[in-house]
Amino acid sequence: MVERVLELRVHGVSNTPPHQLLGLGSEPNGEDPQPWLVAGGDVTGFYRSSTAGADDPITVEAYSWGQLTSGARTARDIERALWTLLLPFTLANVALYARPGIPPDPDTERWGSRSGIAAWLIRLFCLSLTGTLVITTTGIGVDLIAWQCVDRDCLRHLPGPWEFLDHGWWREDAHALAIGLLLPLAMLLVLGVVAWRTYQYEAQMPAEPRPRPPNPDGDTDPERSTEEPPALDNPLQDPTFWCGEGQLRRAAVLHLCTGAVLAAAVPVGAVLAMDPPRGVRALVAWPTVAVLVTVVAIAVVAVGRPWLTRRAGATPLGRWSAAVGVLTGVGLAGAFLLLLLPDGPAGRPLDQLRPPGGCTRDPGIAGCLTDRSLPGYDSTISWLATYQVLLLIGIGAVARSGRRALLGPVAGSVLLPLSVAWLDGRLPGVPAAPDGLRIWMLAVPALAIAATGLLLPRTPPDAEQQPLGAFTDVAWGGRGAALIAGSGWVMATAYCAGLLYWVTDRLDSGASPSGYSVIVPPLPVIWAGLACTVAVAALVVTLVRAGVLFHRLRRREYALLTTDGHAMSAHDLRRCREVSTFRALHRLVGEHAVRLIGNYATVAAVLVSLACAAALCWARPAPKAASGWPGLVHTAADLGDTMLGWLPVVVAGIGLMVYRNDTVRRTVGVVWDVGTFWPRAAHPLAPPSYAERAVPELQTRVAGMLALTGHDPRRMDGVILSGHSQGTVICAAMLLQLPARWRRRIWFFSYGCQLTRLYGRVFPAYFGPDRLRVLASTLTWPAGNVAWTNFWRATDPLGWRVSAGERDVPVVDPEALHPSGGEVADPPIRNHSGYPEALEFLRERALVARLLRRVVPSPRVG
């Protein structure tokens, strides 16, 4: 029988078509050849050339998974483009995996450990991020529409028959607020339905959860067993890592219920503050408040419990999720009942506190030009954003320096409310605050005290490992989780501020003859616009700095190419300039990108802290009619608000182009595919993880081909697993899940590899130096050979050496500076593509194929 080897190619983020993966040339008529689908379906499939023979010594097969993230040009691309709007949730979810110090076995992680506390804080932050979206839509429905938009001239700008809110029973008391509350609840319903549909990814190929040890905290969990689980050396070896359907559904219930409770709390809290309840209203109000607080308390505790949030396959929702759902229903019913009851006798009628009607036509009416926004809404946004910043500081401090670093963030979170109470004279027995002392004079020092936790020395890991090579240390000094989550927070804040500004401008519509705004946006929106303008300016400076570095690196590379002592033609000098451009980009991304991002993040952190302190002052940056320096500040704030208003549209448009334009996809697809690679273990409402399906499918295919009997014509003696770019990460995750008996017949080819400079630095617990050596050790044969070859080019901006014990093979690119061998065109500069056509690749593949056919024994039957 002919000995055969299968080369299984896995593409990267660019969604390379199967015929290109297989290296099939175009037909004479110009049409692309149609490969043969041997396994899988229309979304994901394994393809071979239609001319492949049964006796070929090396059979090339392509695994196409790109339609999980960039499918055909269909109506579903619109849905995927809207997923791009959930990018803040994606970044917050990715932060969970950027924590250093995660133990190899997830079951050994304890809540009180450094990684355990960081995980709980990240999940709390994700819960608050859901609350940010909910409170924003609540502000639109309850504040802007139901509270401030009180006349027909304003309501006619809304789509639909909303004019009934300006007269009759609906305008009395707080009845309109009940209608406005329906908007955030409808948004949560749509978000929940969309998320629930995507949970099929996690249920695609479920794995049996491995036995778990008894819970040392004393919790009784019927799913636990006294049998000790097998030892793990990398968290990616956990068999339930890619099977989290049960966890997702439990977490989704917590997020959706918490969001509904926060939405109800905004109008309920405002009504209770304006009109303290008595009698029947008190009997409804206080039990409702108690139920709402209970739901939030349960969610805060539940997201930190390992038995509720750890991945365990198709686990049912459980008693806690059912209890939260029931309590949320009771709380919403009480909230609507309270809003629909008539005003109580304790306070002024609510109609007298709302903006008067007719302001759009005549702003001269008394009370029109004063801020009549919903009481307490502006302060709710300001305090939520401030404590989210403190939470981010806590995440970065704990992940970097352990529990001791929590002292700074905790001190800052306590000093801030005490400062406000001191200024308001609400601290008994304490002298009054000096006149002229503003809250920002106290808020900035409080935030600075909190930030001291980020400056403490980094706690080294339990087993200190030497870096794999240059520029492979942990990114951002161990603060990567906070930086990634903070990026998601900035984007979410920008979305929400832009949406509030856009709706305000739409409702106001410039109908006021005097040009004054009648519908007032929340005060933090104005400060967010000013911060956006400054942040864009800082981004431009960072890009200029990157351009200067790139120009300097290109000059160095050009000098190295042209100083070989031989005279070069003008053609060769031009080619040297082209090559030096790609080599400079390779060094810029691999050596300087992380540092540039960290520098910009530092500027953004200072800017965000100042913006939060300013928002707590309850003062506007500058009056509208100001001139000089205040006028410039006002113009910058308006410009920033305008940019924020267009941001969601721009991001959604880019997301649509990502799925339909190859150039845009190659540019931004790296960030998107890195984010959606990780399972949704922190934020259940993020876009689905394609790896939840790709990794189990690839594992099933490889194991199935190697398990065929010797008489089966489809049998393969070995597999060359060939991964490109992001496909390298998918292959590495699959190999760590594969049983050892199959790994002995596999050789791993990686090219365009990002396991060291990107994944290893940002996700050290999975691809750091010690964890990559685990992958190399699992691919080590009994004779001592490491069955892993990594190909890299000096012109590839996303591919570098690995140096984890495998064989690193440099690939010459281009092959020459001028045509040779009868060719008339210059050899192409392939940079990140075309590795399988390289001479070094073909030579290594022929050698490895002989080793797989001759040396590796077949596993015993059974």
Side-chain angles (χ1 to χ4, degrees):
M1 178 176 291
V2 178
E3 295 177 329
R4 304 168 61 200
V5 172
L6 175 69
E7 182 194 351
L8 181 54
R9 296 179 179 175
V10 184
H11 65 78
V13 300
S14 58
N15 190 21
T16 307
H19 71 274
Q20 293 184 14
L21 274 176
L22 297 172
L24 304 179
S26 300
E27 300 291 344
N29 57 6
E31 296 182 358
D32 293 331
Q34 296 299 321
W36 172 36
L37 179 65
V38 295
D42 296 334
V43 179
T44 60
F46 296 83
Y47 296 84
R48 294 184 187 177
S49 172
S50 57
T51 60
D55 296 334
D56 292 343
I58 300 179
T59 301
V60 181
E61 184 171 295
Y63 176 49
S64 177
W65 57 270
Q67 292 198 57
L68 293 174
T69 59
S70 57
R73 298 182 179 183
T74 63
R76 194 176 180 187
D77 280 355
I78 305 298
E79 178 184 351
R80 292 191 176 104
L82 294 178
W83 282 350
T84 313
L85 295 175
L86 301 179
L87 185 58
F89 293 167
T90 302
L91 293 173
N93 181 74
V94 171
L96 184 72
Y97 300 95
R99 297 169 293 141
I102 301 176
D105 188 348
D107 284 341
T108 62
E109 184 179 62
R110 295 297 173 254
W111 183 91
S113 64
R114 177 176 65 167
S115 61
I117 295 178
W120 181 57
L121 294 177
I122 290 172
R123 289 192 172 103
L124 280 181
F125 173 78
C126 291
L127 196 65
S128 72
L129 210 59
T130 302
T132 299
L133 177 62
V134 170
I135 289 180
T136 299
T137 53
T138 305
I140 295 173
V142 175
D143 180 20
L144 299 180
I145 296 176
W147 182 258
Q148 296 190 53
C149 197
V150 295
D151 54 27
R152 186 178 300 271
D153 293 327
C154 175
L155 292 170
R156 66 183 176 85
H157 295 295
L158 295 172
W162 297 103
E163 287 83 358
F164 70 92
L165 292 176
D166 77 323
H167 62 275
W169 183 82
W170 292 106
R171 188 178 178 182
E172 298 174 357
D173 306 326
H175 302 159
L177 302 185
I179 299 299
L181 182 58
L182 295 177
L183 179 63
L185 296 181
M187 183 273 301
L188 284 173
L189 179 62
V190 172
L191 194 60
V193 170
V194 171
W196 221 261
R197 288 178 54 194
T198 65
Y199 293 163
Q200 61 181 320
Y201 281 71
E202 284 74 9
Q204 197 70 29
M205 302 188 71
E208 289 294 331
R210 61 195 182 94
R212 302 186 182 280
N215 190 358
D217 296 335
D219 297 329
T220 57
D221 188 353
E223 298 173 12
R224 295 187 176 272
S225 171
T226 57
E227 181 182 351
E228 289 293 333
L232 303 180
D233 297 317
N234 191 310
L236 289 173
Q237 293 175 319
D238 184 1
T240 64
F241 189 88
W242 304 106
C243 305
E245 180 189 7
Q247 179 207 33
L248 276 174
R249 297 184 187 277
R250 293 192 301 270
V253 169
L254 292 176
H255 276 248
L256 295 174
C257 291
T258 303
V261 164
L262 292 177
V266 172
V268 169
V271 169
L272 293 183
M274 294 182 295
D275 186 17
R278 293 182 181 178
V280 177
R281 298 181 77 249
L283 293 178
V284 176
W286 301 123
T288 299
V289 172
V291 170
L292 298 181
V293 172
T294 301
V295 171
V296 175
I298 291 176
V300 168
V301 175
V303 295
R305 303 301 297 167
W307 54 269
L308 187 64
T309 58
R310 191 164 291 158
R311 310 179 72 76
T315 309
L317 291 180
R319 298 186 302 272
W320 284 97
S321 300
V324 168
V326 172
L327 289 175
T328 301
V330 173
L332 290 178
F336 277 104
L337 179 59
L338 178 65
L339 296 177
L340 295 177
L341 286 176
D343 288 350
R348 299 168 56 190
L350 298 182
D351 283 341
Q352 299 181 11
L353 301 175
R354 299 174 67 184
C359 289
T360 305
R361 296 186 303 272
D362 183 11
I365 300 176
C368 283
L369 299 182
T370 59
D371 187 354
R372 292 295 187 92
S373 58
L374 187 68
Y377 182 69
D378 290 13
S379 60
T380 299
I381 297 179
S382 300
W383 282 111
L384 175 63
T386 302
Y387 272 90
Q388 283 178 325
V389 171
L390 290 170
L391 200 56
L392 289 171
I393 293 174
I395 292 171
V398 172
R400 174 178 170 82
S401 305
R403 290 176 293 181
R404 59 174 180 169
L406 275 178
L407 180 60
V410 170
S413 63
V414 173
L415 288 176
L416 272 176
L418 290 179
S419 302
V420 174
W422 181 39
L423 292 176
D424 294 341
R426 295 198 302 265
L427 288 181
V430 177
D435 295 336
L437 185 65
R438 303 295 298 273
I439 181 61
W440 65 268
M441 298 180 183
L442 301 174
V444 172
L447 291 172
I449 292 174
T452 55
L454 296 172
L455 304 178
L456 294 177
R458 186 163 67 94
T459 302
D462 296 335
E464 189 69 33
Q465 295 284 345
Q466 294 296 325
L468 295 177
F471 306 103
T472 58
D473 56 327
V474 178
W476 308 301
R479 309 179 189 94
L483 189 147
I484 295 173
S487 301
W489 178 81
V490 169
M491 183 166 286
T493 303
Y495 280 176
C496 295
L499 186 60
L500 286 169
Y501 178 82
W502 185 86
V503 173
T504 300
D505 185 68
R506 175 70 177 174
L507 293 177
D508 202 54
S509 192
S512 176
S514 60
Y516 285 97
S517 298
V518 177
I519 307 300
V520 182
L523 180 60
V525 172
I526 302 176
W527 287 106
L530 181 60
C532 175
T533 303
V534 180
V536 170
L539 179 61
V540 171
V541 173
T542 303
L543 294 177
V544 170
R545 172 61 178 164
V548 172
L549 286 174
F550 174 73
H551 181 67
R552 186 181 303 166
L553 292 172
R554 185 172 57 181
R555 285 191 304 175
R556 293 177 182 174
E557 294 296 331
Y558 180 76
L560 292 175
L561 290 172
T562 56
T563 55
D564 56 356
H566 299 284
M568 304 185 73
S569 65
H571 174 272
D572 290 344
L573 292 176
R574 178 182 59 83
R575 290 281 288 167
C576 286
R577 285 193 294 270
E578 295 175 354
V579 174
S580 64
T581 299
F582 286 98
R583 289 191 175 184
L585 186 60
H586 171 83
R587 292 189 58 187
L588 178 68
V589 176
E591 300 175 7
H592 300 280
V594 170
R595 179 171 54 84
L596 290 173
I597 293 173
N599 293 339
Y600 181 72
T602 302
V603 175
V606 174
L607 182 62
V608 163
S609 300
L610 294 176
C612 289
L616 292 176
C617 294
W618 326 123
R620 297 183 179 275
K624 184 172 184 178
S627 59
W629 177 255
L632 180 62
V633 172
H634 180 82
T635 302
D638 282 347
L639 177 62
D641 285 331
T642 302
M643 289 189 293
L644 292 177
W646 283 100
L647 181 62
V649 179
V650 171
V651 172
I654 293 176
L656 182 61
M657 294 178 66
V658 162
Y659 298 110
R660 300 173 67 91
N661 186 285
D662 292 338
T663 302
V664 177
R665 172 153 184 81
R666 290 188 180 97
T667 304
V668 301
V670 175
V671 177
W672 182 250
D673 281 356
V674 168
T676 54
F677 169 79
W678 299 100
R680 294 173 283 186
H683 206 303
L685 305 181
S689 166
Y690 60 88
E692 299 273 9
R693 179 170 176 178
V695 171
E697 278 191 352
L698 189 61
Q699 177 183 355
T700 302
R701 178 63 177 173
V702 171
M705 294 298 295
L706 293 177
L708 295 174
T709 61
H711 302 286
D712 196 307
R714 299 170 298 169
R715 170 185 167 80
M716 294 292 171
D717 294 279
V719 172
I720 299 176
L721 189 61
S722 180
H724 173 238
S725 188
Q726 187 68 15
T728 298
V729 184
I730 295 176
C731 292
M734 187 278 292
L735 288 170
L736 289 170
Q737 292 269 325
L738 201 64
R741 64 182 183 274
W742 306 127
R743 288 198 301 264
R744 299 190 187 100
R745 298 167 59 189
I746 293 177
W747 197 290
F748 182 28
F749 277 4
S750 59
Y751 40 94
C753 182
Q754 306 151 18
L755 291 178
T756 52
R757 301 289 178 93
L758 175 61
Y759 279 88
R761 302 187 70 181
V762 181
F763 309 105
Y766 299 89
F767 299 102
D770 52 335
R771 304 300 162 85
L772 271 185
R773 291 190 179 95
V774 171
L775 176 61
S777 65
T778 59
L779 294 171
T780 302
W781 290 357
N785 297 325
V786 180
W788 181 4
T789 304
N790 177 65
F791 302 89
W792 66 280
R793 293 190 180 113
T795 57
D796 187 352
L798 297 177
W800 302 280
R801 296 182 180 93
V802 174
S803 303
E806 88 301 342
R807 172 175 159 81
D808 275 311
V809 177
V811 178
V812 177
D813 186 44
E815 297 175 359
L817 294 177
H818 46 74
S820 60
E823 182 58 67
V824 296
D826 289 327
I829 303 175
R830 298 185 181 273
N831 57 82
H832 193 55
S833 61
Y835 278 93
E837 289 80 25
L839 179 62
E840 295 87 350
F841 185 95
L842 297 175
R843 185 186 301 117
E844 184 76 7
R845 188 181 69 167
L847 174 63
V848 168
R850 288 197 299 270
L851 291 174
L852 289 174
R853 286 195 297 264
R854 183 178 57 190
V855 177
V856 183
S858 300
R860 291 192 297 263
V861 178

